[in-house]
Amino acid sequence: PPLAGASPGALNPFDRRLKRKQKNWAALQAEPAKCDYLREEVGGRIADRVFDITRTFPLALDVGSGRGYIAQHLTKETVEKLVQVDIAENALKNAIESEIPTIKVVADEEFLPFKEDTFDLVVSSLRYVFIYFKFHALCVCVLQIHQVLKPDGVFIGAMFGGDTLYELRCSLQLAELEREGGFSPHVSPFTAVADLGHLLSRAGFNTLTVDTDEIQVNYPGLFEVMEDLQGKYILCMGESNCSWNRKPLLHRETMLAAAAIYQEMYGNSNGSVPATFQIYYMIGWKYHESQAKPAQRGSATVSFGDLAKIEGLLKRGKK
């Protein structure tokens, strides 16, 4: 299907065609190993969550796989076959080798081209970043994942959290307000953890788990943060800001002011500055009648009020 968000509009806050160009450009950059630390780290943590489930998945799907940051950490004993989907063909062409047999599909991850009840496992690492702006749009994407999962299948995903790069965003906003009398977003906005439970529930998942983690990287200063974000984490992940209202450049005076604010507000004792990446991990299962069900209300035989009596009962037992 044609790319969603091809023109500005109330329901399309992001430029999807630009997103494809960014991801294709990022996949062709030299020495990609230097650019992939964040996605490889999160991919490994998602794989750990897959290993925690004591079963073998005959067919799995990696949504927004990029160069295969999750696949490289998985084993044939856990996943027998993996389908990798990404909007950028260059990312799939330069995929990292994996011991798992893989099938590569170039498609817009917001329009999954698969039949219902196809996969036993769906994983996604740092893919759903820039569509958070409309909660309904993000819900539709997760709903598609729910549809392609088999009953009793599981979805394990990771997203950037709302506090990601808060040091950088705050410094840039304060500097622009001071020097230019207003500010524009320079990093794509992120979702809030309170939304994820509702998101998975509305899509039809049950037995939900949502947890958060942080990865902090230290830099000599703001200019090094910006360079690394542009050259490594953001562009090499294809996650540059693609909002329709993005500002094309920052003035030199504004950048110098932002660097001073960054150092003053967040600087470490050794002169470096931190950049924080907050990661939300979510797990949801597609309903199956074999899954454990919660007990009916009023069926309990012991009251929480009886917990206060346990200590006294234990003392009697010792006597």
Side-chain angles (χ1 to χ4, degrees):
L3 286 175
S7 61
L11 296 179
N12 298 308
F14 296 100
D15 187 341
R16 299 286 290 130
R17 293 189 184 278
L18 176 60
K19 178 55 57 179
R20 167 172 278 178
K21 291 180 180 179
Q22 288 174 346
K23 290 177 73 68
N24 269 317
W25 178 88
L28 294 178
Q29 297 311 295
E31 299 181 328
K34 293 183 179 180
C35 305
D36 292 340
Y37 165 77
L38 194 61
R39 292 202 68 172
E40 288 184 357
E41 179 67 22
V42 175
R45 298 185 186 191
I46 290 179
D48 288 341
R49 287 163 170 78
V50 176
F51 294 142
D52 289 339
I53 303 173
T54 56
R55 68 167 65 174
T56 299
F57 299 98
L59 183 62
L61 171 66
D62 186 354
V63 180
S65 63
R67 297 180 58 246
Y69 305 100
I70 301 176
Q72 63 177 325
H73 298 285
L74 298 174
T75 64
K76 292 185 293 185
E77 291 74 23
T78 304
V79 175
E80 294 179 352
K81 182 179 290 186
L82 179 68
V83 177
Q84 296 176 313
V85 174
D86 201 276
I87 195 174
E89 57 272 22
N90 291 337
L92 296 173
K93 289 178 182 177
N94 297 313
I96 304 169
E97 292 187 7
S98 169
E99 66 177 66
I100 303 173
T102 60
I103 300 173
K104 297 175 176 58
V105 178
V106 179
D108 191 336
E109 304 95 321
E110 295 183 34
F111 301 92
L112 295 177
F114 305 107
K115 294 181 179 180
E116 191 172 351
D117 301 338
T118 300
F119 299 96
D120 305 279
L121 166 71
V122 176
V123 294
S124 180
S125 177
L126 304 181
R127 171 62 187 87
Y128 296 111
V129 177
F130 53 90
I131 57 175
Y132 107 100
F133 194 86
K134 288 291 182 182
F135 182 79
H136 172 72
L138 182 55
C139 191
V140 168
C141 294
V142 179
L143 178 61
Q144 289 190 62
I145 291 176
H146 182 271
Q147 290 175 341
V148 301
L149 271 174
K150 293 180 179 179
D152 201 33
V154 59
F155 166 54
I156 304 177
M159 294 177 60
F160 283 120
D163 288 338
T164 295
L165 299 175
Y166 71 89
E167 305 99 337
L168 175 62
R169 287 187 282 129
C170 183
S171 299
L172 289 173
Q173 289 175 7
L174 290 175
E176 280 192 289
L177 282 171
E178 176 189 346
R179 299 302 175 94
E180 301 179 31
F183 64 88
S184 168
H186 295 282
V187 180
S188 290
F190 305 104
T191 191
V193 68
D195 295 331
L196 294 185
H198 300 296
L199 167 69
L200 295 173
S201 179
R202 286 178 58 175
F205 289 98
N206 58 14
T207 317
L208 307 178
T209 303
V210 178
D211 63 287
T212 182
D213 198 1
E214 288 187 353
I215 299 175
Q216 191 174 89
V217 184
N218 292 318
Y219 299 89
L222 177 137
F223 292 102
E224 287 77 13
V225 174
M226 297 287 285
E227 180 182 2
D228 207 36
L229 290 177
Q230 186 177 14
K232 294 184 180 181
Y233 299 117
I234 301 301
L235 287 185
C236 286
M237 293 189 299
E239 298 302 346
S240 294
N241 184 19
C242 59
S243 302
W244 289 106
N245 63 341
R246 62 189 177 273
K247 193 173 181 179
L249 56 85
L250 280 167
H251 295 100
R252 176 178 173 80
E253 290 186 359
T254 302
M255 289 292 294
L256 292 172
I261 293 172
Y262 203 138
Q263 185 66 53
E264 179 65 25
M265 294 182 61
Y266 305 107
N268 299 317
S269 58
N270 62 358
S272 64
V273 295
T276 300
F277 298 90
Q278 185 180 43
I279 313 296
Y280 295 153
Y281 297 93
M282 48 189 167
I283 302 176
W285 294 79
K286 188 170 183 177
Y287 174 78
H288 188 267
E289 58 184 10
S290 65
Q291 294 173 347
K293 299 177 180 62
Q296 294 182 353
R297 290 180 62 88
S299 62
T301 58
V302 179
S303 170
F304 278 110
D306 296 332
L307 295 176
K309 304 176 183 178
I310 292 178
E311 186 176 356
L313 293 173
L314 291 175
K315 290 180 178 178
R316 281 187 203 171
K318 290 181 180 178
K319 290 180 180 180

